[in-house]
Amino acid sequence: MKKLFKFSTATVVASGIGAAIFMLLFMFVKIPSPIPQTSFMTAYGFALFIATLYGPIAGGLSAFIGHALSDAIQYGSPWWSWVIASGIAGFIYGLSYKFTNIEEGEFTRKDILKVNIFQIVGNVIAWLIVAPVLDIVIYAEPADKVFIQGVAATIMNIISAGVIGTLLLIAYVASKPKKGSLKKEE
């Protein structure tokens, strides 16, 4: 049985590599939107991939650290409300880890549906609740502005995770042999 909150060497390595790739995608592979300070971020598709393969700890750390580093490098300081929201989204994506058989080389339509339900819930919580509320509490931002940004981010991140993340998971499973499919030659 898979442990949902395992903290192993693989989790640490996946978190580090995931954070580095997330940061690069977050900085350089995005499409600006008409809503100020929001973009279509391909990084959330990659976060779904890491979180589904390695669990909520790796998913949360990858998104949190990657977003914090990106903000620090680009702007001199992280925008903590959104960094925290990224970590929460990645963590919730990772809750799908226990409900898939990706390591056995299986990723069915049912698995795709489960993973995408988790990412939709994660994005709604992170971008419609956590980010706007923390923007108001921490930075005294106007409520109407942050909730419009939150709606835009929710929609774009659901699409990014749903399309890019699902395609990455399908490609990953296609590259793995199914459990028991290899037989020893005598």
Side-chain angles (χ1 to χ4, degrees):
M1 183 173 189
K2 290 182 181 180
K3 284 187 172 180
L4 191 57
F5 300 108
K6 68 179 182 169
F7 197 79
S8 64
T9 304
T11 306
V12 173
V13 172
S15 298
I17 293 170
I21 295 171
F22 186 95
M23 177 190 70
L24 292 172
L25 291 171
F26 203 83
M27 290 171 65
F28 301 115
V29 189
K30 58 188 174 186
I31 301 166
S33 82
I35 308 296
Q37 287 96 34
T38 59
S39 296
F40 180 86
M41 306 300 280
T42 59
Y44 293 101
F46 182 75
L48 179 68
F49 175 71
I50 290 292
T52 304
L53 290 180
Y54 295 99
I57 293 171
L61 287 174
S62 294
F64 180 85
I65 294 167
H67 191 150
L69 288 173
S70 171
D71 279 7
I73 291 168
Q74 291 183 96
Y75 310 115
S77 170
W79 190 262
W80 289 111
S81 54
W82 283 53
V83 170
I84 291 166
S86 283
I88 289 170
F91 182 86
I92 295 171
Y93 296 171
L95 296 175
S96 67
Y97 166 78
K98 191 170 180 157
F99 302 99
T100 66
N101 293 316
I102 288 179
E103 286 308 312
E104 287 79 35
E106 297 176 15
F107 192 57
T108 65
R109 289 176 194 227
K110 225 178 200 179
D111 293 331
I112 292 169
L113 181 63
K114 289 176 200 172
V115 165
N116 278 287
I117 288 171
F118 277 99
Q119 70 91 358
I120 290 168
V121 170
N123 281 313
V124 167
I125 291 169
W127 307 113
L128 282 182
I129 300 168
V130 174
V133 169
L134 289 179
D135 271 348
I136 294 165
V137 171
I138 297 171
Y139 300 109
E141 292 284 324
D144 58 341
K145 172 189 164 195
V146 295
F147 281 103
I148 289 170
Q149 289 174 327
V151 168
T154 301
I155 293 166
M156 290 184 288
N157 293 339
I158 285 172
I159 294 167
S160 172
V163 175
I164 297 167
T166 301
L167 289 174
L168 286 171
L169 290 166
I170 289 168
Y172 176 80
V173 170
S175 72
K176 292 187 68 72
K178 287 194 187 326
K179 189 174 184 178
S181 67
L182 298 175
K183 296 188 185 338
K184 184 177 177 183
E185 287 187 26
E186 294 183 35

